[in-house]
């Protein structure tokens, strides 16, 4: 008989939008698709990180126009949010405005990654979130502090649960 061995088992309780996570259309509209319906091809591929740390508050179309975006790209936006850390929720984070969201949609971005827990302004700009979720896969809460602008291979690994959002692990591989 084997000797008794003590094992450890933990319970993990967290919100679906805790830390790095992916949103689904169900987040904004009852009856829409949950996270398990997101296209698998949007979780992997060529990725471009854009350095926008100079942007003070709002990302507009003109802030993105100098960057190369090909249809089907995965784009990660690195802002001063990554330098602030995540000790507590900040209300003065850099966020995306509708003209920038429209530009990313028209460029054919398949997946967008953002370096804060929300991509839109705290109060208002709901159309930004809705436009993005209706046209691409959205990862929020990325920590890009140690990531340099450039091209990478992106691997986003969300939990396979059918909720409005789901925690994820994102890996960037420098080629």
């Amino acid at each position: 008989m084997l000797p008794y061995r003590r094992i450890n088992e933990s319970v993990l309780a967290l919100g679906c939008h805790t830390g790095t996570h992916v949103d689904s259309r169900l987040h904004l509209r009852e009856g829409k698709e949950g996270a398990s319906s997101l296209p698998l091809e949007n979780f992997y591929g060529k990725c471009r990180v854009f350095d926008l740390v100079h942007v003070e508050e709002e990302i507009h179309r003109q802030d993105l126009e100098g960057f190369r975006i090909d249809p089907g790209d995965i784009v990660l936006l690195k802002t001063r949010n990554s330098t602030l850390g995540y000790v507590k929720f900040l209300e003065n984070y850099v966020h995306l405005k509708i003209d920038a969201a429209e530009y990313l949609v028209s460029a054919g971005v398949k997946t967008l990654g953002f370096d804060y827990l929300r991509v839109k302004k705290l109060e208002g700009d709901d159309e930004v979130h809705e436009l993005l979720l209706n046209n691409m896969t959205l990862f929020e809460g990325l920590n890009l502090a140690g990531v340099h602008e450039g091209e990478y291979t992106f691997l986003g690994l969300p939990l396979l649960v059918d909720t409005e959002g789901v925690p994820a692990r994102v890996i960037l591989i420098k080629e």
Side-chain angles (χ1 to χ4, degrees), residues 1 14 20 27 31 40 49 59 67-68 78 93-94 100 112-113 120 123-125 130 137 154 163:
M1 181 157 104
L14 61 139
T20 302
H27 184 40
L40 289 176
V49 175
I59 299 171
F67 295 101
R68 179 177 155 208
K78 178 182 178 178
Y93 57 91
V94 177
L112 178 66
K120 71 173 198 80
E123 298 297 329
D125 288 354
E130 189 155 1
T137 299
F154 174 94
T163 53

Side-chain angles (χ1 to χ4, degrees), residues 102-147:
E102 290 168 342
Y103 179 74
L104 293 167
V105 169
S106 69
V109 170
K110 75 175 181 179
T111 301
L112 178 66
F114 195 67
D115 67 347
Y116 207 66
L117 300 172
R118 306 182 101 184
V119 70
K120 71 173 198 80
K121 188 176 179 179
L122 184 59
E123 298 297 329
D125 288 354
D126 291 336
E127 67 275 7
V128 169
H129 209 189
E130 189 155 1
L131 178 66
L132 295 173
L133 289 181
N134 284 332
N135 291 282
M136 63 187 69
T137 299
L138 178 62
F139 282 83
E140 294 174 315
L142 298 176
N143 182 350
L144 300 174
V147 178

Side-chain angles (χ1 to χ4, degrees), residues 20 24 43 52 54 97 99 102 115-116 149 167:
T20 302
S24 74
F43 298 143
L52 296 168
H54 64 280
K97 295 302 284 184
D99 61 325
E102 290 168 342
D115 67 347
Y116 207 66
E149 182 174 292

Side-chain angles (χ1 to χ4, degrees), residues 55-59 79-81 92-96 114:
V55 174
E56 291 295 320
E57 185 179 334
E58 301 175 338
I59 299 171
T79 71
R80 69 177 178 83
N81 296 334
N92 63 336
Y93 57 91
V94 177
H95 55 274
L96 209 63
F114 195 67

